[in-house]
Amino acid sequence: MSPAPTAAPAAAFIPNVASTRQYIGAWAILSVLQYFAAEAAVAMAWAGPRPYDLRTGYISDLGAFHCGTFSGRDVCSPLNWLMNASFVVQGLGLLVGAVMLTSGLLRVGARPGTRVGWGRRGPWLAAAAVRLLTGAAGAGTVVVGLVPEDAGSPWHYAGAVTYFVTGGAALLVLGLLWLRKTGMAWFLVACGGVSLAAVATGGLTRMMVPEPGTLERLMGYPVTVGMAAAGLVIAQRVHRHRKEQRAAAAAARVTAG
């Protein structure tokens, strides 16, 4: 009697870690770090009756178009255009990263030569979710930059909340996906967790806390830092693999010659 046929193994492939597309995506994500330089410059140029305080001042105050009293706060940011431009650039960086970084690359943590099967749906869904959430976070912060807080539109707050929630969620999912692929995974989980916990705290307290600026930065800073850390991991691995490929190609040409 012939043995029962066995199921054919699920198809598998090796993601192209060295592609230019992945390199562009990694650096696009890493570019979000420009936000901190812009925020520091805009805060130093603050022209309100009192110096800008990171602990009590809202981030969006730095992008307000007009000088005056807004929601009970004295606001005057001469470099508002720079802050808003930084928001837009940050958002575009996340959007480009979400488009250019493939689910396969995220699935393997940009480790070259790793074979990936289609059998397990969970990791693929997680990688797709990271891209979707990152793109949503990018779109949210673009809206924040295009619609300042004193523009009289609810879109500003919708964009900010979208950035905080989806950015934190993206890092949390990515960190869990990368747990056995890089030591940076726990840092990403921590960044996502801190951001989402701060968002929950802000929602429950309606930001009625002694240091609303600190609380808001606990929502936003971990997202920016965590995204940059993920971009750095990918950029380093892609760069190393591209360098190894060039070296191997050069050695092959020498041997052939």
Side-chain angles (χ1 to χ4, degrees):
M1 185 174 181
S2 60
T6 57
F13 77 104
I14 299 176
N16 183 8
V17 174
S19 71
T20 302
R21 170 182 176 173
Q22 316 284 19
Y23 207 34
I24 292 173
W27 278 101
I29 294 291
L30 189 55
S31 72
V32 300
L33 286 176
Q34 56 77 29
Y35 164 84
F36 292 111
E39 184 191 47
V42 176
M44 286 190 292
W46 184 258
R50 289 181 297 276
Y52 183 81
D53 190 341
L54 294 176
R55 297 174 303 171
T56 58
Y58 285 84
I59 297 173
S60 293
D61 290 348
L62 296 171
F65 272 151
H66 307 99
C67 293
T69 302
F70 182 81
S71 297
R73 305 187 302 276
D74 292 320
V75 175
C76 191
S77 182
L79 292 184
N80 57 75
W81 61 269
L82 177 59
M83 194 73 260
N84 292 322
S86 176
F87 289 141
V88 172
V89 170
Q90 183 181 30
L92 291 176
L94 293 176
L95 282 168
V96 171
V99 171
M100 301 299 282
L101 295 176
T102 64
S103 296
L105 177 119
L106 295 177
R107 172 76 170 77
V108 301
R111 293 182 302 175
T114 303
R115 186 175 296 276
V116 185
W118 292 101
R120 297 175 58 197
R121 291 187 177 182
W124 286 109
L125 292 175
V130 169
R131 297 179 67 189
L132 181 62
L133 291 167
T134 300
T141 194
V142 166
V143 171
V144 168
L146 295 178
V147 186
E149 67 176 6
D150 58 345
S153 171
W155 281 103
H156 178 87
Y157 300 99
V161 172
T162 298
Y163 173 70
F164 296 145
V165 173
T166 58
L171 289 174
L172 193 59
V173 175
L174 184 61
L176 294 174
L177 183 63
W178 281 7
L179 276 182
R180 297 181 180 180
K181 301 173 180 66
T182 172
M184 189 68 74
W186 285 112
F187 179 72
L188 301 183
V189 170
C191 285
V194 169
S195 177
L196 293 176
V199 171
T201 301
L204 292 173
T205 62
R206 298 181 179 273
M207 298 300 290
M208 298 297 181
V209 294
E211 296 186 3
T214 298
L215 180 57
E216 189 181 28
R217 284 169 172 82
L218 285 174
M219 300 177 194
Y221 280 9
V223 175
T224 303
V225 172
M227 288 292 180
L232 180 62
V233 169
I234 297 171
Q236 286 181 330
R237 290 182 172 181
V238 172
H239 175 73
R240 186 183 308 119
H241 190 42
R242 288 164 66 92
K243 187 176 180 180
E244 290 171 352
Q245 283 191 337
R246 288 195 298 269
R253 286 194 297 268
V254 171
T255 303

